[in-house]
Amino acid sequence: MRDLSEVRIAVIGLGYVGLPLAVEFSKKYPTVGFDINANRISELLKGHDSTLEVADEDLKKVLLSNPVEAKNTSKGLYCSDAITDISECNVFVITVPTPTDQHNRPVLTPLTKSSETVGSVLKKGDVVVYESTVYPGVTEDHCVPILESVSGMKFNEDFYVGYSPERINPGDKEHTVSKILKVTSGSTPESAEFVNNLYASVITAGTHLAESIKVAEAAKVIENSQRDINIAFVNELAKIFSLMGIDTASVLRAAGTKWNFLKFTPGLVGGHCIGVDPYYLAQKAQELGYHPEIILAGRRLNDSMGSFVSNELVKLFVKKDMKVKGASVIILGFTFKENCPDVRNTKVIDIYRELAAFNLDITVYDPWANPEEVLHEYGIQIVNQLPEKPYDSAVLAVSHNEFKDLDIRKMVGDGVIYDVKGFLDPSIVDARL
């Protein structure tokens, strides 16, 4: 295996996962960040990250201005959409998305395409590390054959593969990539040690070398599945306690006084990880003839919460003798989590669509989300500025800091306020999860 002093890294995919990792690697190694999105590359070369995962000043500290500079440096980051710019790299880290389709089946197309890209420049002795969340077996059974086919080289003789699952938490400025312990693995003992040492050189939190690539893949996919199931449990409690007229937050606060009670809270479960990863594990289980009961039950429960919130809001309209059809409602927040521009797999869209089915007049206000991205991905209009007009109701869907100082009761008068996040003063809301 190569010595770390010889490493030249290419990070394939410069999104929420890839860019922070590329920046971290570039502090110690010559690094090329590759992405097929030319607009994304143009933005990064100007020193700006629209995902806000990397501060502009931090990006500019490591940014290299041209490929010539990138070839003649001992460290730093050059961003490119040209395959030729990664041809001299010898370590390729693939951080592309692994989404699901409309039927919740895994979509491996980004992994396939990125593997073809890397295979076209793969050289003898190179190492390819995958970070994308997958079900156990994808790296070796799906990706490796593509690398072999395109490169014409032999796995574990000419090139090697590793898997180190991403653990990025979008919007979290405390648990950044270098501060989260990294699971690593490799296709041979020597490559595993190399991959582990490579990550250990930049991850201050340390590493855990897994016994195999499949173990590392499985560890990642169950992390989010476990969290999904725990949230599903409290979401089901919220539905039950709503029927009983009991405040769920009060129940959880009381139960939380026991030292070993797990403190999860109800809510919408979206995003690219928790709302997607369980389907990857379920798909593989079903291929093997096992129908996962708990995993899919948790997914169904969490996927139902947007509909539940919408129906509860309409019930409150009826209780207050308010007209439903044509009533105005403002949804506060659209991103999948607070203080973050990430709208991937946001479940706020479920609330929107359910309310639209009741013919309500809906405004979505989110100071963080990109209106053009939302329009492209979801086909709806949102606003970044709060309209100065009254509403019949408000749904607090995301707990952005900007919403702390809003006088929401003044906005809706005697109308309905539904707090999905348990973020608002309980005295002003009509209901909350």
Side-chain angles (χ1 to χ4, degrees):
M1 299 303 298
R2 283 188 171 87
D3 187 88
L4 290 183
S5 63
E6 302 172 344
V7 164
R8 298 187 68 84
I9 298 174
V11 176
I12 313 300
L14 295 177
Y16 284 84
V17 175
L19 181 65
L21 184 65
V23 168
E24 210 58 46
F25 274 134
S26 72
K27 295 174 183 177
K28 196 160 187 174
Y29 305 103
T31 304
V32 178
F34 175 85
D35 200 289
I36 60 174
N37 186 334
N39 291 332
R40 174 67 168 162
I41 295 300
S42 176
E43 163 192 288
L44 294 175
L45 288 175
K46 294 175 184 176
H48 176 63
D49 170 29
S50 60
T51 72
L52 306 181
E53 289 302 301
V54 177
D56 289 357
E57 57 267 29
D58 293 332
L59 178 58
K60 290 173 182 176
K61 285 178 184 177
V62 300
L63 201 59
L64 302 174
S65 59
N66 59 72
V68 175
E69 185 181 7
K71 290 179 181 179
N72 299 313
T73 186
S74 61
K75 60 182 180 179
L77 173 66
Y78 179 65
C79 299
S80 175
D81 60 351
I83 296 177
T84 53
D85 287 332
I86 64 172
S87 61
E88 295 186 15
C89 294
N90 47 42
V91 175
F92 301 88
V93 183
I94 295 179
T95 64
V96 297
T98 43
T100 54
D101 65 15
Q102 60 182 346
H103 303 295
N104 296 319
R105 294 175 300 199
V107 175
L108 299 180
T109 304
L111 273 179
T112 299
K113 295 296 184 182
S114 58
S115 295
E116 290 171 348
T117 296
V118 170
S120 69
V121 296
L122 207 57
K123 303 170 296 301
K124 191 174 180 63
D126 287 357
V127 178
V128 184
V129 183
Y130 289 87
E131 288 216 355
S132 307
T133 303
V134 293
Y135 54 79
V138 168
T139 299
E140 293 160 295
D141 301 339
H142 179 81
C143 299
V144 165
I146 296 171
L147 294 173
E148 285 188 313
S149 175
V150 176
S151 69
M153 293 194 293
K154 188 73 173 175
F155 175 50
N156 281 343
E157 291 183 13
D158 300 318
F159 71 92
Y160 305 89
V161 166
Y163 182 79
S164 181
E166 58 90 359
R167 279 178 165 172
I168 291 290
N169 187 25
D172 189 337
K173 302 309 178 186
E174 180 181 353
H175 301 97
T176 53
V177 61
S178 66
K179 298 176 183 177
I180 303 174
L181 193 143
K182 206 80 161 68
V183 173
T184 65
S185 64
S187 54
T188 65
E190 294 76 18
S191 63
E193 182 180 5
F194 172 82
V195 171
N196 190 66
N197 290 340
L198 176 65
Y199 278 97
S201 69
V202 297
I203 304 296
T204 57
T207 59
H208 173 86
L209 179 57
E211 288 79 357
S212 69
I213 287 176
K214 286 185 175 67
V215 167
E217 290 170 325
K220 169 57 182 176
V221 79
I222 71 164
E223 288 175 19
N224 288 328
S225 297
Q226 181 190 66
R227 186 167 178 81
D228 192 43
I229 291 166
N230 280 314
I231 297 173
F233 172 64
V234 293
N235 273 338
E236 188 161 59
L237 293 180
K239 290 185 174 184
I240 295 170
F241 294 146
S242 175
L243 294 171
M244 295 179 173
I246 302 173
D247 181 59
T248 305
S250 298
V251 175
L252 294 176
R253 191 161 52 248
T257 59
K258 190 167 185 277
W259 78 92
N260 61 352
F261 184 81
L262 302 180
K263 296 183 179 180
F264 287 87
T265 55
L268 305 174
V269 187
H272 184 64
C273 293
I274 299 179
V276 173
D277 296 353
Y279 287 122
Y280 272 73
L281 185 56
Q283 171 75 15
K284 187 61 178 178
Q286 289 170 331
E287 288 177 3
L288 297 171
Y290 179 80
H291 181 75
E293 300 288 348
I294 295 176
I295 293 172
L296 291 180
R299 275 287 74 233
R300 286 193 297 271
L301 195 293
N302 285 338
D303 280 343
S304 74
M305 294 310 292
S307 176
F308 174 75
V309 168
S310 301
N311 281 281
E312 290 297 294
L313 183 72
V314 171
K315 288 178 185 177
L316 290 168
F317 269 64
V318 174
K319 286 181 180 179
K320 288 195 172 187
D321 292 324
M322 296 172 59
K323 180 183 177 183
V324 175
K325 185 177 181 180
S328 60
V329 56
I330 183 166
I331 297 177
L332 299 171
F334 191 78
T335 60
F336 94 88
K337 67 180 293 187
E338 66 279 359
N339 307 318
C340 171
D342 195 346
V343 298
R344 293 176 299 173
N345 196 34
T346 175
K347 295 303 178 182
V348 182
I349 188 63
D350 294 344
I351 297 177
Y352 179 95
R353 288 170 177 162
E354 287 287 333
L355 292 179
F358 286 104
N359 292 316
L360 272 71
D361 178 16
I362 308 168
T363 299
V364 181
Y365 163 54
D366 192 313
W368 285 81
N370 183 327
E372 293 181 3
E373 182 181 1
V374 172
L375 181 61
H376 179 264
E377 293 296 327
Y378 299 98
I380 70 168
Q381 300 276 358
I382 70 166
V383 295
N384 291 140
Q385 299 293 325
L386 180 65
E388 294 185 6
K389 65 177 185 179
Y391 293 90
D392 296 311
S393 62
V395 177
L396 189 287
V398 186
S399 51
H400 290 317
N401 287 339
E402 286 83 351
F403 299 155
K404 288 180 180 177
D405 299 324
L406 288 182
D407 189 344
I408 300 176
R409 178 48 68 190
K410 183 178 180 181
M411 290 166 54
V412 303
D414 294 329
V416 176
I417 299 177
Y418 195 102
D419 184 5
V420 175
K421 298 292 292 184
F423 182 68
L424 304 174
D425 183 344
S427 67
I428 71 163
V429 305
D430 295 278
R432 58 180 178 172
L433 277 182

